[in-house]
């Protein structure tokens, strides 16, 4: 899906991981997720949701975190992976970037 805002067209969004641990590629992400989530099915669901966010983060921005913003003042959103696991993210339409702030169980994901 093409997203138009600020006269910018985003055919694909780039993901940027804002974790304490530096994640620069899928292998790093896989290793990080394997330590956090022992079940391969959960990891695959996380990758599925990340793929959806790369397609169009605005479409899945239904759960806005009340009164919470990222370090640059962008609103934070949450997407459900499973009943207890969330991905917390923000996005910048000007440069087609989705910032992934947390991936974790409900209580841990929302701690800032």
């Amino acid at each position: 899906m093409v997203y138009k805002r600020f006269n910018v067209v985003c055919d694909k969004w780039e993901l940027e991981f804002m974790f304490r641990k530096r994640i620069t590629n899928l292998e790093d992400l896989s290793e990080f997720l394997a330590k956090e989530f022992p079940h391969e099915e959960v990891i695959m669901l996380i990758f599925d949701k990340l793929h959806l966010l790369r397609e169009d983060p605005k479409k899945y921005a239904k759960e806005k975190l009340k009164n919470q913003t990222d370090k640059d003042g962008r609103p934070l959103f949450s997407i459900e992976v499973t009943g207890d696991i969330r991905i917390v993210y923000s996005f910048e339409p000007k440069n087609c970037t989705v910032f992934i702030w947390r991936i974790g169980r409900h209580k841990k994901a929302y701690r800032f």
Side-chain angles (χ1 to χ4, degrees):
M1 172 178 255
V2 175
Y3 180 67
K4 295 180 182 180
R5 188 168 171 182
F6 303 108
N7 298 321
V8 175
V9 176
C10 297
D11 291 322
K12 278 281 192 197
W13 293 72
E14 293 299 317
L15 297 179
E16 190 170 324
F17 296 92
M18 308 304 288
F19 303 154
R20 287 186 182 121
K21 178 180 173 22
R22 184 172 168 88
I23 295 178
T24 57
N25 56 48
L26 291 178
E27 186 176 326
D28 291 345
L29 180 60
S30 295
E31 289 174 12
F32 172 79
L33 293 175
K35 290 177 185 173
E36 293 288 318
F37 307 102
H39 295 81
E40 189 174 320
E41 298 83 21
V42 173
I43 295 171
M44 294 310 296
L45 288 171
I46 291 169
F47 274 107
D48 288 345
K49 295 297 181 175
L50 291 173
H51 177 74
L52 293 175
L53 291 175
R54 268 194 86 207
E55 292 292 318
D56 185 5
K58 182 81 171 162
K59 181 177 179 180
Y60 301 97
K62 292 179 174 61
E63 190 177 334
K64 184 176 179 181
L65 302 186
K66 188 176 181 179
N67 299 325
Q68 291 200 13
T69 59
D70 68 12
K71 65 182 179 85
D72 293 320
R74 293 179 290 261
L76 289 172
F77 299 91
S78 173
I79 186 171
E80 181 180 309
V81 177
T82 67
D84 188 43
I85 297 171
R86 303 287 192 276
I87 297 173
V88 176
Y89 70 99
S90 60
F91 57 92
E92 177 56 63
K94 285 189 248 180
N95 56 8
C96 303
T97 304
V98 179
F99 301 97
I100 307 298
W101 293 93
R102 298 270 199 287
I103 300 174
R105 302 210 183 283
H106 193 274
K107 286 185 179 182
K108 185 178 178 183
Y110 293 136
R111 247 186 268 152
F112 279 90

